[in-house]
Amino acid sequence: MPGLFQEIFERARQEKRLVGVRTSQSDPGRFSVGYVLSYSDEVVVLRIINRDGMPTAIQSFNLPEIFQLDYDDQYIRHVEFKADNLDKVYAGIKSPPFLEQEYLTVPLLLERAQQMGQLVNVYTHLGMDYYGYVRQLTAEQVLMECYTEYGLSDGVVVFRVEEVRNFIWSNEDSRVLELRLKQRGTSQG
């Protein structure tokens, strides 16, 4: 086994961190992510974690077939974050009381999101989607403070309210993002 592979396997095992293993040179974008349970000069065994942070399998990989390892990149940290916070990411989704008490319109949903400091995911008719907080709202336009899926600030966007195609109040991705922002102290709060 190449020495650097062994170093990464040992580091990932000791630090209880995820590692990405690539074995298909014909499809190099395909890889498996998991925790190193054991390894030798011939085989590595991982507890496979899917993109949702859930354990799905115990799988072995023959070392001669591994052509690349990924460690501590954004995607792996994102999966690791979900795996470390399963109870918060997949906790029951609570509907805000106003959903059952008011006649709903897109402007009302945007207004309630702003009032409640709710991080939302908005899709537009133009095919754009944004994760963020509604910071300003007029009858015609909305200004959102946006974030990437990894919790990085992605600036502000202003678009027409009439362009909103649909609206996600809470889903797995928005809860992960909210949790990241709360831990950093950058959320609406």
Side-chain angles (χ1 to χ4, degrees):
M1 170 183 357
L4 293 176
F5 281 3
Q6 186 174 9
E7 284 180 32
I8 295 296
F9 288 144
E10 183 58 24
R11 182 175 173 188
R13 190 184 63 75
Q14 285 183 358
E15 295 176 2
K16 294 179 175 47
R17 301 284 312 275
L18 290 174
V19 64
V21 174
R22 296 179 192 265
T23 59
S24 176
Q25 291 187 14
S26 63
D27 187 6
R30 188 169 174 233
F31 62 100
S32 297
V33 174
Y35 292 103
V36 176
L37 298 177
S38 181
Y39 65 93
S40 69
D41 289 340
E42 297 175 23
V43 173
V44 62
V45 178
L46 302 180
R47 181 176 346 112
I48 302 299
I49 306 297
N50 69 15
R51 68 167 295 284
D52 299 321
M54 308 288 266
T56 60
I58 305 294
Q59 184 174 345
S60 69
F61 297 88
N62 294 327
L63 270 338
E65 294 175 7
I66 296 173
F67 70 91
Q68 181 177 319
L69 293 180
D70 299 312
Y71 184 74
D72 200 33
D73 65 22
Q74 280 190 339
Y75 177 78
I76 289 174
R77 285 192 306 267
H78 188 64
V79 172
E80 206 166 51
F81 186 84
K82 288 180 181 181
D84 291 343
N85 293 284
L86 287 175
D87 58 330
K88 294 176 182 128
V89 173
Y90 297 105
I93 301 171
K94 296 177 184 163
S95 298
F98 78 85
L99 288 178
E100 298 173 11
Q101 299 169 356
E102 297 185 76
Y103 182 81
L104 298 179
T105 63
V106 168
L108 179 67
L109 288 170
L110 292 168
E111 181 182 333
R112 292 295 183 257
Q114 180 183 20
Q115 290 171 347
M116 299 176 79
Q118 176 71 36
L119 186 135
V120 293
N121 184 203
V122 175
Y123 290 85
T124 70
H125 289 290
L126 301 173
M128 303 297 290
D129 75 295
Y130 306 101
Y131 280 100
Y133 295 100
V134 175
R135 295 300 190 202
Q136 293 181 11
L137 181 64
T138 68
E140 291 88 25
Q141 299 171 337
V142 59
L143 181 144
M144 284 184 65
E145 178 182 353
C146 298
Y147 293 89
T148 68
E149 68 180 307
Y150 301 116
L152 302 174
S153 177
D154 203 17
V156 297
V157 64
V158 177
F159 53 90
R160 296 184 199 300
V161 171
E162 66 191 37
E163 289 300 325
V164 175
R165 181 172 50 97
N166 73 358
F167 189 97
I168 298 175
W169 186 266
S170 178
N171 67 1
E172 169 197 340
D173 293 331
S174 66
R175 289 188 300 275
V176 168
L177 183 50
E178 275 185 306
L179 186 57
R180 283 184 185 281
L181 295 174
K182 283 179 186 171
Q183 289 181 350
R184 290 186 194 144
T186 57
S187 68
Q188 167 81 12

